[in-house]
Amino acid sequence: MDGPALTPIVVLGATGSIGRQTLEVADRLDRAVLGLASGSLSNEIVDLAHRYPGARVAVARLPDRPIDTTLERRIEFGPDAVAALARLPEATVVNGIVGAAGLEPSLAALESGNRLALANKESLLVGGPLVLSALESGGGELLPVDSEHSAIWQCIEGESDEEIRRVILTASGGPFHAHPEIDLERVSVADALAHPTWDMGERISIDSATLMNKAFEVIEAHFLFTLGYDQIDVVIHPGSFVHSFVEFVDGVVKAEMGSPDMRKPIQRALTWPGRMAAPTVPIDLMEIALTFSAPDRERFPALDLGYEAGRRGGNGPAVLNAADEVAVEAFLDRRIRFTEIVEVVAGTLDAVPPAPISTLADALAADAEGRAAATEAVALAESLRYR
Ligand code: MG
């Protein structure tokens, strides 16, 4: 059997949750690792430099201490060094960076004609139109590494976009949706971080608890699959066994299912169009509960904010994302309450006037504007509390 074209791998955000799982998959598949990047100089990235002696290693932020060891001297510093890894010829670039810093490397990978396995949501939220034009001009491949979008992508392979009636994204609901008795004003950081089904980073765990993550995924689906917002629905499915549905114009519905494990969408993007064996836990259909319910849009207003920001277009998604990043950080620092995360985001969307995103500068400006307005909104929320 002929395998798929196994290009070497560049892992951006190598020390994060997606990065670590990507390296696990890459090692198991015996794929060469060509490049590794992280946001800051840490023991983890130095360890990775040691483990992958053939890889180029880049760190986005300049070190705040002198670099001394031989391993550290191998590291290139600055955002340009990270983007350079994304441009390495004939690479599969896995972008697991958290935050708007992921946009430029995504554009670099696509402009260079590389395969981009995209786990960085901000690339599409902050610069969706730019990502699509880089894809078109560079001739690269854009493959989603998010369980829902990977599911949709696998369901529509061989189908045509015009024949999709709608997609239905599944949401686990996070730790609170199934518990209407919980007072969301009083939940702690630890409560919100306790995700029932997926093992993820901190920001995305909080975003799952507010349903903001699903709001982001609605916008991602709009860009990835050229769908109108009225073609994207969300259903709560606590077990996370069905990763999403696609309904076609003839009423046929396809779903992609399996145990929740991010290594599967990662591997799908690394081996596509072929498949390779993986030691994943098979689902036992006799044991799992396939239950679905409507999202509680009043208790979790983030979902409709996402549709609103998406329909607004232009800088809407970028502002939504920037405001959420600031608000989640403030919640994790215990400066605002859980319910204030969405209040800060809504206030920020009202405060920042609509603007188009035509260039990278527009995207970065929208991100900066959203962050500034959200920082003010957080300060206001804090000052009201302590008065
Ligand atoms: Mg997801």
Side-chain angles (χ1 to χ4, degrees):
M1 185 194 82
D2 278 346
L6 299 181
T7 57
I9 297 170
V10 169
V11 188
L12 311 179
T15 58
S17 172
I18 293 288
R20 280 183 281 111
Q21 295 182 79
T22 299
L23 290 170
E24 192 188 320
V25 173
D27 289 349
R28 182 164 47 71
L29 299 179
D30 212 13
R31 289 282 284 273
V33 176
L34 207 60
L36 295 160
S38 72
S40 52
L41 183 59
S42 62
N43 292 337
E44 288 82 3
I45 192 70
V46 175
D47 286 347
L48 288 178
H50 179 65
R51 247 176 67 198
Y52 298 93
R56 272 175 64 176
V57 185
V59 165
R61 279 182 286 281
L62 298 179
D64 49 14
R65 60 173 173 81
I67 55 166
D68 46 14
T69 67
T70 317
L71 277 173
E72 285 177 11
R73 276 195 292 275
R74 221 180 90 205
I75 298 174
E76 302 164 67
F77 289 93
D80 290 349
V82 177
L85 295 188
R87 281 195 204 93
L88 287 172
E90 313 247 324
T92 290
V93 179
V94 180
N95 187 346
I97 292 172
V98 178
L103 173 58
E104 285 189 69
S106 283
L107 297 177
L110 291 172
E111 282 161 1
S112 312
N114 279 332
R115 173 178 295 188
L116 175 64
L118 185 62
N120 171 258
K121 290 171 187 288
E122 291 82 359
S123 291
L124 291 170
L125 292 168
V126 179
L130 308 178
V131 169
L132 296 188
S133 65
L135 174 66
E136 206 177 298
S137 67
E141 294 167 336
L142 174 58
L143 310 186
V145 178
D146 193 344
S147 61
E148 295 80 358
H149 305 88
S150 178
I152 293 169
W153 166 50
Q154 294 183 67
C155 289
I156 65 175
E157 259 202 276
E159 310 277 1
S160 76
D161 287 354
E162 308 80 65
E163 288 164 2
I164 302 172
R165 184 183 283 159
R166 61 171 180 151
V167 301
I168 306 164
L169 297 168
T170 53
S172 70
F176 306 134
H177 193 277
H179 299 280
E181 75 284 2
I182 294 176
D183 180 358
L184 295 181
E185 297 236 350
R186 300 186 181 282
V187 298
S188 70
V189 169
D191 295 338
L193 284 176
H195 197 274
T197 47
W198 294 99
D199 174 18
M200 306 181 294
E202 276 195 344
R203 161 125 192 254
I204 191 170
S205 295
I206 302 299
D207 285 340
S208 294
T210 57
L211 292 201
M212 186 64 83
N213 182 53
K214 211 48 58 178
F216 291 158
E217 291 181 349
V218 166
I219 296 170
E220 288 175 83
H222 161 81
F223 285 113
L224 283 168
F225 308 114
T226 350
L227 296 164
Y229 285 97
D230 53 355
Q231 289 178 285
I232 309 169
D233 286 336
V234 171
V235 70
I236 302 291
H237 168 42
S240 306
F241 295 108
V242 176
H243 301 138
S244 279
F245 298 94
V246 179
E247 185 182 300
F248 295 91
V249 289
D250 56 1
V252 167
V253 177
K254 286 191 191 175
E256 185 268 316
M257 298 178 63
S259 51
D261 183 341
M262 280 311 292
R263 290 169 299 185
K264 281 194 285 190
I266 291 169
Q267 177 162 329
R268 188 77 202 104
L270 295 188
T271 64
W272 183 82
R275 291 187 186 272
M276 295 178 87
T280 45
V281 182
I283 49 168
D284 181 348
L285 290 170
M286 311 313 142
E287 291 297 320
I288 62 174
L290 290 183
T291 55
F292 304 95
S293 63
D296 183 340
R297 303 181 107 96
E298 273 177 39
R299 200 160 161 253
F300 297 90
L303 188 56
D304 284 335
L305 270 185
Y307 279 94
E308 193 188 312
R311 288 193 167 106
R312 173 170 140 180
N315 64 352
V319 171
L320 177 83
N321 170 69
D324 181 68
E325 199 172 312
V326 169
V328 167
E329 202 177 294
F331 172 69
L332 289 171
D333 289 346
R334 294 160 177 82
R335 289 160 53 209
I336 61 171
R337 278 190 244 272
F338 182 77
T339 45
E340 286 173 323
I341 296 172
V342 177
E343 290 169 23
V344 164
V345 175
T348 305
L349 274 172
D350 285 342
V352 178
I357 301 285
S358 316
T359 62
L360 180 60
D362 292 342
L364 299 180
D367 180 63
E369 225 180 323
R371 298 181 68 88
T375 303
E376 268 181 48
V378 166
L380 181 67
E382 281 184 295
S383 71
L384 291 175
R385 174 145 340 106
Y386 293 115
R387 220 166 33 190

